[in-house]
Amino acid sequence: MEPITIYKGRAAALDRKNVDTDQIIPKQFLKRIERSGFGEFLFYNWRFDETGKKRPDFELNQPHNQNTSILIAGENFGCGSSREHAPWSLKDYGFDIIIAPSYADIFKSNCMKNGMVPIALTQTEVNYLMERVSAPDYELTIDLPNQTLKDGQGFETSFEIHPYWKEMLVKGWDEISITLQYDKEISAYESQKKAVSSI
Amino acid sequence: MGKSIIEKIWDRHIVNEEENKPDLIYIDLQYIHEVTSPQAFEGLRLKGRKVRRPDRTFATMDHNVPTVNRYFIEDDIARKQLEALEQNCKEFGIRLADLDSPDQGIVHVIGPELGLTQPGMTIVCGDSHTSTHGAFGSIAFGIGTSEVEHVLATQTLWQTKPKTLKLEVNGKLGHGVMAKDVILYVISKFGVDFGTGHIIEYCGEVFRDMSMEERMTVCNMSIEGGARAGLVAPDETTFSYLKGRKYLPKGEEFEQCVQDWKSLSSDEDAVYDQEIILDGSLISPMVSWGTNPGMASGVDGKVPTLAEDIMDPKELNRAIEYMGLEEGMPITEIPVQHVFIGSCTNSRIEDLRQAAGMIDGQTVQKGVRAMVVPGSQSVKRQAEDEGLDEIFKSAGFEWRESGCSMCLSMNPDVVPAGEHCASTSNRNFEGRQGAGARTHLVSPAMAAAAAIHGKFVDIRNLKRTEQVQ
Ligand code: SF4
């Protein structure tokens, strides 16, 4: 995983609540057996009409949202199915950072496993950013080690992230190799009485 | 201070506890299916890693298997996924209920059926409806593919201790009101994210009175309320369901398990992070009218209006437009062209009995396409033994092989754009059952009644016949 420390980028606003993973990546694109190449299917049914033409009124198709790498959305983003294809498609499309008032649990953890940062801000802060992001020179800077977000025009806020996940993201670690160092503890757990016998 | 069953199970599974780290918890059992596992196995291969405990891993094929002509998979990519699963299971020594297996079916139907799911366990699967298995008093939750890989390699997960939510429903349910209605009612009242960050314990008379099938329906939809997991403490209903199932010990050894499981209940003075208390007698048969499971109303209700100001007007407008409805329209005026009885929420034997009980010699309304997709081969066999298949077929329902089918329509079963489907599944998201498809979530009995009448009807006013073995 690529380490993330200071991140700068332009943002796109998707002012919708409860965006579910079926919308982020519809099921007809879940059949691939690779992790890559899902970006072209992101928000497929919202981005394209039945004939495959781009819908001009969909947020991400609008000119000011091109070349953005931060997505700002409404509350409970990523609810529904556990499909990790959702963060894979967001990342492959170009979004590394998501900002929303809240996230569904599984989606949030899936993001972090893929080197993406799901940042939770208050609804008021999210509204503030959504109103401004379409300006061409509007850029956000995220400082992950210090847990701050700035817009270079006077707006600055901080966000929460569990220290464990922060370290993973900042160092770009592979979680499994960390856990494998606990092999002794895992074996000890398996050999004790309170463990459920195998099935 | 006492502990809840949630904390008791959690504490039993801690492998490592350190400051500033989530707990490293042991996973007793992982279920695998074809859609969310290929990239996990690929990850293992790339790093030369093994599956730590193939004996704690069980695989099935369900999401994109066809439910007619099951060996003829037209879709090349879907077939590749099934082949990849077979290959991966062989390579890593994992048991697989493939298309030839008498045990094949939807992962959340076969796990309990085979006795793999047991009280007190931690269970995961790359599927959000893993919460179903909580019905047995286990902590069961859905994970992403990276976590699937993590569990394959280490049999553990790093997890922050979840918050606890006690959801108590007291009283007796009215005639014609089922488990599906209870959970849809809860979600419609508290929203699709009330459970985020929590594990729910379902308590109270209503859940105590439920069969295992009904508890599974409730726990299944915990995720639709945002909770990763939901559970019911095990009791005699649980133990008698489990007795004699394939993967459980028999005789004396089973009785010892029961003794241990009996200790799995919340202490009287247990403290929860949140508590909700409801009266079950107030619940009507439910129908979802919108594009998430929280947008649901009693069948005797109406589609909300903007003036009622119960939700974000933008969201309400979008949902009504997508669903082709009007503000204030009575639910019973919504036309139904498709009926799907199936999915991990409602495809077990009892669900099929309840649906069949509504038929009573009547036939499916002209212009309605109705299908029944049993959750597993075993459910299918039992239903056929009981003659339910004949009741469905002679009423004009299609009788299918087991699989996920029209729940997410990854296989060829799709609802055409603009048409309404009364579905016993769990998600009414835009496009879930096909691009432009309009899904209404209901109980199996409500779905069967909708098939006969071509619209939603209040089954409390209809005659039902008991379908018992
Ligand atoms: S039946 Fe539907 S919700 Fe259940 S596992 Fe299959 S696709 Fe998922």
Side-chain angles (χ1 to χ4, degrees):
Chain A
M1 242 164 42
E2 289 283 305
I4 296 192
T5 47
I6 312 277
Y7 188 93
K8 261 195 186 44
R10 291 190 56 241
L14 182 66
D15 188 9
R16 303 182 189 213
K17 290 181 183 172
N18 300 316
V19 172
D20 59 78
T21 54
D22 274 74
Q23 305 318 318
I24 298 176
I25 178 137
K27 67 215 167 209
Q28 63 269 35
F29 309 115
L30 303 183
K31 292 173 185 164
R32 305 164 67 103
I33 51 179
E34 304 86 25
R35 270 179 210 253
S36 53
F38 288 99
E40 54 180 306
F41 310 124
L42 178 72
F43 295 121
Y44 194 85
N45 296 337
W46 286 350
R47 268 166 70 206
F48 304 102
D49 66 15
E50 300 73 40
T51 64
K53 275 220 310 281
K54 279 195 180 172
R55 297 180 195 268
D57 52 341
F58 178 59
E59 288 88 330
L60 296 189
N61 288 339
Q62 290 162 357
H64 60 263
N65 282 332
Q66 304 315 303
N67 304 316
T68 50
S69 62
I70 300 169
L71 182 68
I72 311 182
E75 66 183 32
N76 198 29
F77 189 76
C79 59
S81 148
S82 62
R83 57 187 73 159
E84 198 160 313
H85 311 69
W88 292 338
S89 62
L90 284 160
K91 179 132 183 143
D92 194 52
Y93 184 87
F95 293 119
D96 298 313
I97 310 266
I98 317 284
I99 298 173
S102 60
Y103 299 90
D105 293 332
I106 307 178
F107 175 80
K108 188 170 153 190
S109 111
N110 282 344
C111 280
M112 295 188 288
K113 309 269 169 175
N114 288 282
M116 295 164 69
V117 194
I119 297 176
L121 298 183
T122 64
Q123 185 68 56
T124 321
E125 289 169 332
V126 167
N127 293 347
Y128 180 93
L129 295 176
M130 280 200 184
E131 277 165 28
R132 284 164 180 75
V133 289
S134 60
D137 57 342
Y138 197 77
E139 228 189 24
L140 296 176
T141 305
I142 288 108
D143 179 340
L144 185 56
N146 290 307
Q147 300 177 217
T148 60
L149 183 147
K150 288 185 217 171
D151 71 353
Q153 303 182 9
F155 175 84
E156 179 170 353
T157 187
S158 60
F159 57 89
E160 295 287 315
I161 181 167
H162 193 290
Y164 173 80
W165 291 115
K166 184 163 104 177
E167 190 174 17
M168 285 287 165
L169 288 164
V170 168
K171 301 199 168 136
W173 277 342
D174 161 37
E175 198 186 18
I176 296 180
S177 52
I178 306 275
T179 313
L180 288 172
Q181 295 167 13
Y182 287 81
D183 187 53
K184 238 182 40 220
E185 285 82 357
I186 301 172
S187 299
Y189 179 89
E190 283 174 327
S191 59
Q192 57 169 354
K193 221 173 131 240
K194 71 178 177 186
V196 174
S197 57
S198 48
I199 302 106
Chain B
M1 197 175 79
K3 277 187 179 181
S4 69
I5 176 175
I6 301 166
E7 296 165 276
K8 289 183 188 178
I9 300 175
W10 190 270
D11 291 349
R12 274 192 187 198
H13 287 86
I14 296 176
V15 172
N16 185 71
E17 227 174 345
E18 261 170 85
E19 222 181 309
N20 276 338
K21 274 202 173 140
D23 293 338
L24 184 64
I25 62 162
Y26 195 75
I27 303 301
D28 293 319
L29 174 63
Q30 169 158 240
Y31 293 116
I32 302 272
H33 65 84
E34 73 274 22
V35 178
T36 55
S37 68
Q39 294 88 349
F41 285 109
E42 194 50 34
L44 291 182
R45 262 192 296 270
L46 284 173
K47 299 250 158 110
R49 289 171 177 152
K50 291 194 315 241
V51 173
R52 182 180 178 95
R53 298 296 298 264
D55 59 326
R56 290 185 179 277
T57 314
F58 192 95
T60 187
M61 298 175 166
D62 54 5
H63 278 67
N64 54 32
V65 302
T67 54
V68 276
N69 265 341
R70 60 207 319 241
Y71 294 103
F72 181 64
I73 303 175
E74 288 179 56
D75 183 338
D76 272 347
I77 322 180
R79 198 176 47 236
K80 264 199 203 120
Q81 248 179 8
L82 294 171
E83 284 166 2
L85 181 65
E86 203 171 335
Q87 182 50 42
N88 288 330
C89 287
K90 212 184 278 159
E91 182 180 337
F92 292 94
I94 294 167
R95 286 162 295 179
L96 166 69
D98 64 10
L99 290 181
D100 291 321
S101 166
D103 296 337
Q104 182 272 342
I106 305 173
V107 61
H108 311 309
V109 176
I110 66 162
E113 225 168 56
L114 294 170
L116 289 161
T117 294
Q118 297 167 20
M121 280 183 165
T122 46
I123 302 174
V124 296
C125 172
D127 186 284
S128 60
H129 293 102
T130 308
S131 58
T132 312
H133 306 267
F136 291 81
S138 58
I139 293 185
F141 54 94
I143 56 178
T145 300
S146 296
E147 290 174 314
V148 170
E149 184 180 338
H150 192 278
V151 177
L152 286 171
T154 69
Q155 207 59 38
T156 62
L157 278 177
W158 295 96
Q159 293 282 311
T160 39
K161 199 172 187 161
K163 288 190 238 151
T164 55
L165 190 158
K166 180 181 188 179
L167 192 119
E168 188 176 316
V169 186
N170 298 312
K172 295 268 178 218
L173 296 179
H175 170 79
V177 179
M178 301 176 182
K180 182 66 159 285
D181 304 311
V182 175
I183 190 66
L184 279 173
Y185 174 81
V186 169
I187 300 167
S188 71
K189 236 175 140 56
F190 300 102
V192 289
D193 57 358
F194 80 95
T196 304
H198 292 75
I199 294 183
I200 301 174
E201 181 184 354
Y202 297 99
C203 323
E205 196 182 350
V206 162
F207 303 114
R208 280 287 136 239
D209 286 350
M210 282 185 182
S211 66
M212 289 317 296
E213 281 87 350
E214 291 176 299
R215 292 178 190 179
M216 284 189 252
T217 300
V218 170
C219 290
N220 174 277
M221 290 191 67
S222 304
I223 183 71
E224 309 312 331
R228 230 172 154 177
L231 59 77
V232 180
D235 58 10
E236 288 305 326
T237 307
T238 322
F239 310 143
S240 62
Y241 176 98
L242 288 172
K243 196 168 180 170
R245 302 229 166 226
K246 186 166 170 181
Y247 286 99
L248 278 161
K250 308 274 156 359
E252 185 55 29
E253 231 186 300
F254 179 77
E255 293 312 319
Q256 273 170 15
C257 290
V258 171
Q259 282 318 312
D260 176 47
W261 294 338
K262 282 188 175 159
S263 68
L264 292 169
S265 63
S266 294
D267 298 332
E268 294 243 347
D269 56 345
V271 178
Y272 297 79
D273 294 293
Q274 264 196 75
E275 288 191 37
I276 295 175
I277 301 179
L278 297 170
D279 177 356
S281 68
L282 302 177
I283 305 175
S284 307
M286 300 288 292
V287 178
S288 75
W289 51 263
T291 51
N292 72 43
M295 298 177 176
S297 140
V299 62
D300 45 356
K302 292 183 171 132
V303 175
T305 61
L306 285 171
E308 285 167 70
D309 195 26
I310 50 166
M311 60 190 292
D312 184 343
K314 246 192 320 187
E315 251 199 307
L316 179 58
N317 273 333
R318 270 190 67 88
I320 289 183
E321 194 194 315
Y322 179 86
M323 295 299 289
L325 303 173
E326 276 157 42
E327 285 181 59
M329 183 175 175
I331 298 290
T332 48
E333 282 177 17
I334 301 174
V336 171
Q337 295 92 14
H338 295 262
V339 172
F340 168 61
I341 298 176
S343 91
C344 59
T345 315
N346 285 124
S347 64
R348 300 182 180 84
I349 189 66
E350 203 172 277
D351 301 314
L352 304 193
R353 286 182 197 139
Q354 282 173 353
M358 298 307 303
I359 293 174
D360 192 31
Q362 305 168 84
T363 52
V364 169
Q365 182 76 215
K366 232 176 117 213
V368 175
R369 179 183 184 209
M371 69 165 85
V372 184
V373 185
S376 68
Q377 287 297 300
S378 144
V379 170
K380 181 167 185 264
R381 282 190 302 271
Q382 185 168 352
E384 288 171 355
D385 284 348
E386 293 178 21
L388 301 183
D389 60 323
E390 282 309 321
I391 298 181
F392 286 121
K393 284 191 280 193
S394 53
F397 286 82
E398 296 171 35
W399 178 250
R400 297 295 191 86
E401 298 285 344
S402 52
C404 292
S405 179
M406 216 183 245
C407 174
L408 90 166
S409 302
M410 267 185 85
N411 76 350
D413 304 332
V414 180
V415 176
E419 299 198 359
H420 295 264
C421 179
S423 176
T424 67
S425 56
N426 42 49
R427 288 194 174 132
N428 48 341
F429 295 151
E430 287 181 29
R432 173 90 178 173
Q433 295 189 298
R438 295 164 172 167
T439 304
H440 301 274
L441 306 175
V442 286
S443 75
M446 283 287 290
I452 290 160
H453 296 272
K455 60 188 175 116
F456 294 107
V457 283
D458 192 338
I459 58 169
R460 289 173 296 187
N461 307 326
L462 297 178
K463 180 169 165 253
R464 289 191 295 151
T465 51
E466 265 334 293
Q467 295 295 331
V468 272
Q469 264 167 285

